[in-house]
Amino acid sequence: MEFWMMNRYAVMLRVIMGLVAVLLSSQVQAKTYSVTSSPEIVPSVEFNLDGQATNQRLCFYENKAYSLGAIIVIDGVKLECVAESSIETNGRLMWKKLISSTSKKG
């Protein structure tokens, strides 16, 4: 009788361990999804004059964009596209009047 009780507990223990193994393995399996058709993505071109769409810093004059360091002459006055703040590396740009060495007095 003792032998039968001992085997009974061993069988129950194996059944319980088997059930635990099955339950744990089912949670590990990943779910899969399939897509039969996907909509076609049409590329679009975006142009934004303030430079935000292109992530570029720009100066503007007469609807034209100029990059950092560009120099233009308007009515004999030279303007350079420079950083608005010297401590920022990615701040806004502005037009700054260039003073030539011949126009300085003194």
Side-chain angles (χ1 to χ4, degrees):
M1 183 91 171
E2 271 183 45
F3 179 74
W4 170 248
M5 292 297 275
M6 192 183 233
N7 282 341
R8 186 173 171 193
Y9 289 122
V11 170
M12 285 178 52
L13 184 60
R14 287 183 184 171
V15 168
I16 291 172
M17 288 192 322
L19 288 174
V20 169
V22 168
L23 290 174
L24 290 177
S25 65
S26 66
Q27 292 177 357
V28 175
Q29 294 175 355
K31 292 183 180 180
T32 58
Y33 299 96
S34 64
V35 178
T36 56
S37 65
S38 61
E40 183 178 334
I41 298 173
V42 179
S44 66
V45 177
E46 181 180 346
F47 181 73
N48 190 345
L49 285 179
D50 65 0
Q52 295 299 317
T54 58
N55 292 328
Q56 293 179 357
R57 303 185 305 156
L58 302 170
C59 289
F60 294 93
Y61 179 73
E62 290 187 344
N63 293 326
K64 293 182 182 175
Y66 296 86
S67 62
L68 181 66
I71 298 174
I72 60 173
V73 180
I74 303 168
D75 296 329
V77 177
K78 287 185 178 181
L79 299 173
E80 181 181 10
C81 182
V82 297
E84 199 173 80
S85 174
S86 61
I87 60 171
E88 294 179 339
T89 58
N90 62 349
R92 295 175 63 172
L93 301 180
M94 67 175 195
W95 289 112
K96 182 179 179 182
K97 184 178 177 181
L98 287 177
I99 302 173
S100 64
S101 58
T102 58
S103 66
K104 288 184 182 177
K105 294 183 181 175

